Structure formats: C-alpha cells, structure tokens
Amino acid sequence: MKRIVPTLALALVAALVATEGSAVSPPQYRQQRVIRGSVGASPLVSVGEVVETSGAYRVDVACASLEVARGVSFLLRKDYDFGGLVLRVRVLDERGNVVEVDESGITGDPVEASREYLSAALDGNPLFDSLSAGFFAPVTVLVRPEVVQFWNDNLADPHGNESLLAAEAFAECARESFLGGSVRPVWTTAPAAPRGGDLSGFVPAVVRSPGLFGSLWTTDLLLFGEPGTHVVLWFHAAGKDNTGAVPVPLTLAGGLTSVPDVLDALFHANGHGALRFEADRPVRLSARTSTGVPGGTTGLFTPGLPLQAAALGGTATATLQLGVDQHPGFRANLGLVNATPRTVDLLVEVTLGDGSPAPGFAPFPVTLPPYGMTQEADLLARLAPGERRGLLVRVRVLTAGGAAFAFLSEIDNGTNSPFYQPAVVR
C-alpha cells in the first residue's frame, strides 16, 4: 500500500489537470495578466489590478496619451464574459478620462482606419513587429517570436506559471473584428530572422532631379529575391503627406530584378523622396543614385532598411545618431524619413564628441507629415565657421508611437561625389 498511495496521488493530480485545464486561477485574474503581458508590455500602457464593483469585475488600462488610449480602446474587448462572471475593461488617457472609440464616426477605408488605430496601440510595444495590410492578407499583426509568461496557479508547471506565445496572448485580448465586422485582424508570429531579406521596409533616398553644377541625379532600384516574389512599392515624395501614395506592384522575375531610373519608370515622377515596400516573401532592396561626370558617373548605393531599424518615439530607442566632420570643401545633407502614417515631430541637434553643444548650432524641430520625407541641406552651415572632427548628429523622435529613419549624404564640393551614412539607433 505504501507504493500505491503516491501513485494514486499523482493520478489524482493528473486527472485534475486533465479535467480542469492547466490554468486554475479565477478567470478574471488570468485575463488581466494576459492583457498586462501583451498590450501592457508597452511602456506607454499600464494595466491596473482587478477590482470588484457593482457585482462585476473591472480592470483599468491607463495610457500615456489620448492617441494611445484611442488605439488601445479600439483593440481591446470591452467585456470578457466567463459564463456569467464578467470582467470589464476601462481605458483611460493621461488625465484619467475614460476613452471609448465611436466606430460609427470612422469614415474612409476600414483597413487603413484599423491599421492606424492598431499602430497607435502597438507602436513602442517591444512585442510588436509590424503591420501588414491590403495586398497579401487582411489586417495582419506580426508579433515577435516571444513568450508571455505569468503566474496562474498552473498545476502543470512546477512554479505555477502559464506560458503563451505573444501572438496568442494578443489574439486572446483583442476584439475578433472591427468596424461592424468589416475587418477581422489576424495575429501571427513574425519570422525570427527572415532569410535573405525583409518583408517590409524603406529605401530612404531615391531621386530624379537636377543637382548642383548642372548635374542630373537618377536612382536605379535593385531587388533581390526568389522568382515569383510579389513586391508592392510606394513613392513617398519629399515635403508632402503621402497617405494617398499610389501602390505599384512588381513580380520578381529572377534572383535580381533591376529597374533603371525607378521614379520615371514606375511612378512617372520627378523630385526626391523615399520608397516604401512590402513583399510576400523576404527581399533585399538597394538603390544606386548617380549622375554623369567627365569620363563616367559618380554616385552611391543606399540599402533598404527594415522597419525594425527605425527609432521609435516614447521608447528607449527614440534617438538616431550619426558622426560627421566639418571641414571646407564638403557639405552634409541630412535626410529624415517618417515611417508611419501619422505626423511625427523630431528634434535635430549637433554636438561635439563629448556631448557639449557644437559652436553656433541651435537645435531645431522638424515636423514630418504622414509617410513624409525631407532633406536638410548643408546641415553644418548652421555651425560657426571652422574645421571640427568627430561631431555627433542626433535626431530624437518626440512623438510617442512615431518612427523615423535618418541618414547623411556627405558631398565633396570639388568632385560632386557623395558618401552615404545611415543613422544608428541609440
């Protein structure tokens, strides 16, 4: 009998787990932990404790701004019903006001509207990867391949924890559909590291425009990917709101597809700006921008950048940094690209290598419209004259949930030869 008792005890425990499921905490507390571990992973969102009120249960979700609160209110279910036991969710803005989104007042394309609200809720969340919409799927939220773990008195785990894929946690919290059922989001795990390329991103600088000394600059686009890969491109012209940019689809014919003078060939456009891309399989994009010079051409290659390389406002990765020298005979143009469909405020500053202000330079703000791009020509002309080595250019994303890229194009005034430097996140 002494050998049978522990066996029976284990059998009883196994039966309890099999009958009741592995999670045995009261469901309202478990749901609060799922919300906290997914939506609440954002530094802009704080999920409170469960409180009992008026015969029901409630959890408050406090947000750092009205914009974030509207996004979170759009995303989350208002009530979670566990067979008569109800957990209600109340979303608050930075002033403690209750925020609810009236979907009857939302006009325009429902996919774009849903994408905008979801971006407001998720930008800055370390579990969020990117959004895909339109051509290859409905509104698809790509969540990073992480695990959300929380204590749940789980008999199947020695420590009482329950573990969910982050995508599963978001899907459990989110509403099944938006805007009267017209949009049904899909929550899925993003590839940890797509081989051979990216599914979305930007080529930060493309051009078809005259330059100094009578030059004409054009950009050739190179796309590397598997034959049959579908790519969609948008041209985001400098100095304007590019929300309505017209998409141009491409199908890759081979390992390398080249599009000479891409702005003229695909968009029938002049000027300069950035290219945004989405693909149904990983691709690499690169741009060669060049102009004719005596005896040939001069130019530079600009690699495509994944969305993950952008600086994110409201997070620890909100600052972009570049290094540059100030000396006669060269000029440095600063390119700034808004990677989001919302207006983004930036602050540009130049310092000495030790972080002290560069002589004569006053930090200045830049506001980029949705998917906007601009170039600050001859940035170092704002400094006091002289020759200085090891200057630091910093671009801070001030808008919570905003995302931006930056780059420097350093040009030799004597030869008109450019050198490209992408910013790194700090």
Side-chain angles (χ1 to χ4, degrees), residues 13-102:
V13 170
L16 178 61
V17 173
T19 303
E20 301 295 331
S22 60
V24 294
S25 283
Q28 68 272 32
Y29 294 99
R30 177 188 178 277
Q31 190 64 57
Q32 180 262 359
R33 293 165 191 155
V34 176
I35 297 172
R36 176 177 285 173
S38 53
V39 177
S42 169
L44 307 177
V45 178
S46 177
V47 179
E49 301 297 333
V50 175
V51 296
E52 188 172 3
T53 174
S54 302
Y57 294 88
R58 191 189 76 221
V59 60
D60 287 346
V61 180
C63 302
S65 69
L66 176 60
E67 182 182 21
V68 175
R70 287 174 60 81
V72 171
S73 178
F74 183 84
L75 184 158
L76 288 176
R77 292 158 58 183
K78 304 298 180 290
D79 299 294
Y80 299 85
D81 192 334
F82 305 102
L85 189 155
V86 177
L87 175 67
R88 295 194 169 93
V89 175
R90 192 171 68 167
V91 179
L92 310 176
D93 65 13
E94 73 277 16
R95 297 183 177 180
N97 299 317
V98 177
V99 175
E100 295 183 357
V101 176
D102 179 10

Side-chain angles (χ1 to χ4, degrees), residues 6-281:
T7 303
L8 288 174
L10 291 173
L12 287 171
V13 170
L16 178 61
V17 173
T19 303
E20 301 295 331
S22 60
V24 294
S25 283
Q28 68 272 32
Y29 294 99
R30 177 188 178 277
Q31 190 64 57
Q32 180 262 359
R33 293 165 191 155
V34 176
I35 297 172
R36 176 177 285 173
S38 53
V39 177
S42 169
L44 307 177
V45 178
S46 177
V47 179
E49 301 297 333
V50 175
V51 296
E52 188 172 3
T53 174
S54 302
Y57 294 88
R58 191 189 76 221
V59 60
D60 287 346
V61 180
C63 302
S65 69
L66 176 60
E67 182 182 21
V68 175
R70 287 174 60 81
V72 171
S73 178
F74 183 84
L75 184 158
L76 288 176
R77 292 158 58 183
K78 304 298 180 290
D79 299 294
Y80 299 85
D81 192 334
F82 305 102
L85 189 155
V86 177
L87 175 67
R88 295 194 169 93
V89 175
R90 192 171 68 167
V91 179
L92 310 176
D93 65 13
E94 73 277 16
R95 297 183 177 180
N97 299 317
V98 177
V99 175
E100 295 183 357
V101 176
D102 179 10
E103 293 193 355
S104 65
I106 298 176
T107 59
D109 178 32
V111 168
E112 286 301 320
S114 298
R115 186 177 178 127
E116 182 174 344
Y117 277 99
L118 289 173
S119 292
L122 298 172
D123 282 347
N125 191 312
L127 298 175
F128 172 58
D129 184 271
S130 59
L131 284 170
S132 176
F135 281 86
F136 309 117
V139 173
T140 299
V141 186
L142 295 174
V143 181
R144 293 184 178 175
E146 304 286 349
V147 172
V148 172
Q149 187 176 77
F150 50 90
W151 185 86
N152 199 35
D153 200 16
N154 181 7
L155 294 177
D157 184 274
H159 303 288
N161 293 325
E162 181 180 353
S163 299
L164 298 172
L165 282 174
E168 295 174 337
F170 277 104
E172 187 173 318
C173 298
R175 294 192 294 144
E176 292 185 358
S177 64
F178 306 130
L179 300 173
S182 62
V183 176
R184 301 183 67 86
V186 175
W187 300 83
T188 189
T189 301
R195 288 190 176 183
D198 304 293
L199 298 175
S200 60
F202 284 77
V203 177
V206 291
V207 65
R208 191 175 199 278
S209 179
L212 294 179
F213 313 118
S215 57
L216 175 65
W217 294 86
T218 60
T219 298
D220 302 336
L221 183 66
L222 306 176
L223 304 97
F224 303 85
E226 296 179 14
T229 297
H230 300 290
V231 182
V232 181
L233 299 169
W234 292 262
F235 173 48
H236 293 169
K240 61 179 291 188
D241 181 339
N242 290 288
T243 304
V246 177
V248 174
L250 281 179
T251 301
L252 303 190
L256 168 62
T257 299
S258 176
V259 184
D261 197 359
V262 62
L263 291 190
D264 183 53
L266 296 185
F267 300 95
H268 309 295
N270 292 301
H272 69 281
L275 286 183
R276 177 165 62 99
F277 69 89
E278 292 185 8
D280 62 351
R281 282 181 282 183

